[in-house]
Amino acid sequence: MSKYNALWEYIQGSGKPQLTLTFEEIGKIVGDPIDHSFLKHKKELSGYGYQVVKISMKAQTVLFVEKKEG
């Protein structure tokens, strides 16, 4: 269990095909500011049917997209 499980569940529960969250929003969901460990843990998201498509350091956002079946 990683500290990002609450985030993965939030994204999955959104039911949206794509979702953009700010670093601040992610920090609030996780209960901890986003840090470099996010890069290591983002692969866990595939188990929830989503993937990280883009991380914008300039805009401080992360784009999550639902994985396509097949």
Side-chain angles (χ1 to χ4, degrees):
M1 179 171 199
S2 81
K3 73 178 189 176
Y4 292 102
N5 282 356
L7 176 61
W8 309 149
E9 291 170 3
Y10 177 88
I11 293 164
Q12 185 181 47
S14 76
K16 297 179 180 178
Q18 72 176 39
L19 183 64
T20 300
L21 296 173
T22 65
F23 289 3
E24 184 177 342
E25 289 171 322
I26 292 169
K28 287 179 181 176
I29 294 165
V30 172
D32 226 3
I34 191 171
D35 60 24
H36 222 92
S37 72
F38 179 79
L39 298 174
K40 183 177 83 173
H41 291 282
K42 69 180 185 172
K43 65 181 178 277
E44 298 169 356
L45 183 57
S46 66
Y48 292 82
Y50 285 79
Q51 61 189 350
V52 173
V53 174
K54 183 177 182 184
I55 300 172
S56 173
M57 297 304 288
K58 184 176 180 179
Q60 294 201 335
T61 59
V62 181
L63 173 61
F64 304 94
V65 175
E66 191 173 23
K67 290 171 53 175
K68 302 285 185 209
E69 296 279 332

